[in-house]
Amino acid sequence: MIDIREIQETVAMIHEENLDIRTITMGISLFDCQSDDICRLCERIYDKITKSAEHLTEVSSALERRYGIPIINSRVSVTPISYMAGGIRSEDDCVKLAKTLDRAADALGINFIGGYSALVQKGATDSALLLIKSIPYALSETSLVCSSVNVASTKAGINMDAVREMGNIIKKTAYLTRDSGSIGCAKLVVFSNVPEDNPFMAGAFHGAGEAERVINVGVSGPGVVAAAVKRAGDVDMTEIAETIKRTAFKITRVGQLVATEASKLLGVPFGIVDLSLAPTPAVGDSVAHILEEIGLEVCGAHGTTACLALLNDAVKKGGVMASSHVGGLSGAFIPVSEDAGMIDAAASGALTIEKLEAMTAVCSVGLDMIAVPGDTPSEVISGVIADEMAIGVVNSKTTAVRLIPAYGKNVGDEVSFGGLLGKAPVMKLNTASPSKFINRGGRIPAPIQSLKN
C-alpha cells in the first residue's frame, strides 16, 4: 500500500529540493556497422543510431509529463569508436566518424553522445592510437560529441605511454577550443577502471558486454540529501548515515520507475540505474553543501574526506536496496565547475587540488571539471593523471580526470561554460616538473591485489 506521506515527500523532493532524472541514456552497439569503407561505415553508424533512438526524446517528454519528474537530458552512448577498426585508416577517418556522431545526435535532438573512446590500459591498437591523436580535432569540430580514454585498470596497471599522450591531447584540445573557454576539455575524460554502463557524460560508452541496445538512467539529488541531513538535526554519525541511506533509497526508486517505463515504451532492455549525486551550479543542488550540512565549516576543511566517504558509502547502500540493477558510477560526484559549493570553496582557497585528490580516493569519480592555468605544461597534466590513475588502480575503483587548462587564463581568473557545465575558478597546480618520470613511458605494473583468479 502506498503511504500518502511518501507521495508528499517525493513531490517536495522535486519541487523544493532539485530531485531530477539527470539523464536517460540509450546505449547502442555499433558492431554490426563494420565496413572497410569509411563512407559506408559512417552511413551505417548514422542510420543505426538515428533508427535505434528515434523515439528517445519523445518518450522522455512523455514520462516527464506522466510522473511530473524533471528529466533533464536524453543521451546516447555507443560502442567505443576505436573498435570500428575496419574503416579507420587515418586521423581524418576518425574525425569523419566524430562528425557522423555529432550529426546523428543533432538529428535526434539529444544533448550529448558518448563513445568517441578508446580503452588502452594495457596497450593500444593502431585504430586506438589514431583515435586518440584525433581527439583535439574531433572535439573542436563537433558540438555534441564526448570522448573518453581508459589508460589504467587494477588488472592491467597504468599505461604510462597513454598517460603521457593524454597530457599532450588535453593541451591541444584546450588550444583548439580556446575561443570558447577551452570547452573541448570539458567533453574529454581520462579513466582508470572505466565502467561500461555509465549513463553520465563525458565518460559514457556502450561496453562490449552489453546488449544490442539498453536503457540506463542516471538519477541525481544532492539537494534532497542535504535537506534530509538538515532535518535530522544534531544526531551522531550513525544516524546521519542511516538518514542518507533512507533518502538514497527513495531517490533510486524514482529512477527505477522511470527506467522501467522507458524500457517498456522504447522496447529496449533496462540496464542500470546510476544513483550519482551529480550537482549543478543551481542553489541547493550541491554535494559540497551536503558535507557542510554534516558539520564542516567549508568544503575542503580537515574532515572533508571522511565526510565524503560516509556520504558515498551510504548512497551506495541505499541505492542497492532500492534496485537490483544499480551500476555506472553511483555515489557522489565532485565536479568543481558544476557545484555551487565547490566553486565557492575553490575560489576562497579552502579547497585545493591536493584536497580534491584525497577526496577522490573515496568518491565515485575523480578530479572533475577543474580549470587550471592555460600555460600548464603537458607533463604536469600527465603527472596529475598518473596520480589519479594510481588511486583508482590500487583501490580497485573508478577514478577519472577532467582537467581544463583554460587557454589565456591564470590562477584567480574564472572560466565560464554555461548551463550544467557551470563556471570554474582557475586553480593553482604544483608545477614542479615530473617530466623525467612521465617520459620514461612503459607500464606501471598491476598491484598484487589484481591477482584474484
Side-chain angles (χ1 to χ4, degrees), residues 172-189:
K172 194 165 189 177
T173 302
Y175 177 77
L176 292 181
T177 57
R178 62 193 181 280
D179 292 336
S180 51
S182 298
I183 196 170
C185 297
K187 297 183 288 180
L188 171 60
V189 57

Side-chain angles (χ1 to χ4, degrees), residues 120-121 150-154 156-159 191-194 389-390 393:
V120 296
Q121 58 269 22
N150 193 76
V151 302
S153 73
T154 300
I158 305 173
N159 183 344
F191 274 110
S192 72
N193 294 316
V194 66
M389 297 303 99
V393 166

Side-chain angles (χ1 to χ4, degrees), residues 286-307:
S286 163
V287 169
H289 290 162
I290 300 173
L291 305 181
E292 291 164 4
E293 201 62 62
I294 291 173
L296 302 173
E297 180 181 0
V298 63
C299 180
H302 292 298
T304 296
T305 304
C307 286

Side-chain angles (χ1 to χ4, degrees), residues 123-429:
T125 62
D126 291 343
S127 57
L129 289 173
L130 288 171
L131 182 132
I132 289 171
K133 288 184 179 297
S134 75
I135 287 172
Y137 305 101
L139 296 183
S140 64
E141 296 176 31
T142 62
S143 300
L144 307 177
V145 173
C146 290
S147 180
S148 59
V149 180
N150 193 76
V151 302
S153 73
T154 300
K155 288 296 265 184
I158 305 173
N159 183 344
M160 290 301 295
D161 294 319
V163 168
R164 178 180 59 207
E165 182 64 10
M166 289 313 299
N168 295 324
I169 294 300
I170 290 169
K171 283 284 288 185
K172 194 165 189 177
T173 302
Y175 177 77
L176 292 181
T177 57
R178 62 193 181 280
D179 292 336
S180 51
S182 298
I183 196 170
C185 297
K187 297 183 288 180
L188 171 60
V189 57
V190 184
F191 274 110
S192 72
N193 294 316
V194 66
E196 299 191 14
D197 56 4
N198 165 31
F200 285 99
M201 300 295 169
F205 65 84
H206 189 66
E210 297 288 314
E212 185 72 14
R213 295 185 300 166
V214 69
I215 288 293
N216 297 321
V217 167
V219 189
S220 182
V224 178
V225 175
V229 172
K230 184 174 184 178
R231 285 194 298 270
D234 188 17
V235 296
D236 68 18
M237 295 307 294
T238 301
E239 185 56 35
I240 290 292
E242 290 298 315
T243 298
I244 295 170
K245 280 167 55 182
R246 290 192 293 269
T247 305
F249 177 89
K250 295 172 186 175
I251 295 171
T252 308
R253 294 298 282 179
V254 173
Q256 175 88 1
L257 170 65
V258 170
T260 302
E261 291 302 305
S263 174
K264 290 177 183 176
L265 292 172
L266 290 164
V268 174
F270 161 48
I272 56 95
V273 175
D274 184 322
L275 174 60
S276 288
L277 300 183
T280 72
V283 174
D285 201 27
S286 163
V287 169
H289 290 162
I290 300 173
L291 305 181
E292 291 164 4
E293 201 62 62
I294 291 173
L296 302 173
E297 180 181 0
V298 63
C299 180
H302 292 298
T304 296
T305 304
C307 286
L308 184 59
L310 177 146
L311 172 64
N312 206 61
D313 180 67
V315 164
K316 290 177 185 288
K317 287 174 178 173
V320 297
M321 289 297 292
S323 173
S324 296
H325 299 292
V326 172
L329 295 161
S330 288
F333 286 10
I334 52 171
V336 173
S337 81
E338 299 173 7
D339 185 308
M342 297 282 179
I343 293 168
D344 291 342
S348 71
L351 187 62
T352 64
I353 291 282
E354 289 76 15
K355 188 62 177 180
L356 281 164
E357 185 178 284
M359 293 163 67
T360 65
V362 299
C363 77
S364 288
V365 192
L367 295 171
D368 197 19
M369 288 299 291
I370 297 172
V372 298
D375 61 359
T376 303
S378 61
E379 293 88 354
V380 171
I381 293 172
S382 293
V384 173
I385 294 171
D387 283 345
E388 193 60 30
M389 297 303 99
I391 289 173
V393 166
V394 171
N395 291 287
S396 301
K397 68 183 295 293
T398 300
T399 52
V401 172
R402 192 159 43 147
L403 280 188
I404 303 155
Y407 191 82
K409 300 286 187 178
N410 298 304
V411 174
D413 292 338
E414 184 178 89
V415 57
S416 179
F417 307 109
L420 288 175
L421 296 178
K423 61 181 181 179
V426 177
M427 300 180 72
K428 182 181 179 181
L429 278 179

Side-chain angles (χ1 to χ4, degrees), residues 45-47 49-50 76 98-110 113 144:
I45 287 175
Y46 179 86
D47 290 345
I49 293 170
T50 52
V76 165
K99 290 181 176 179
T100 298
L101 297 180
D102 201 52
R103 191 161 53 91
D106 184 62
L108 292 170
I110 60 177
I113 185 166
L144 307 177

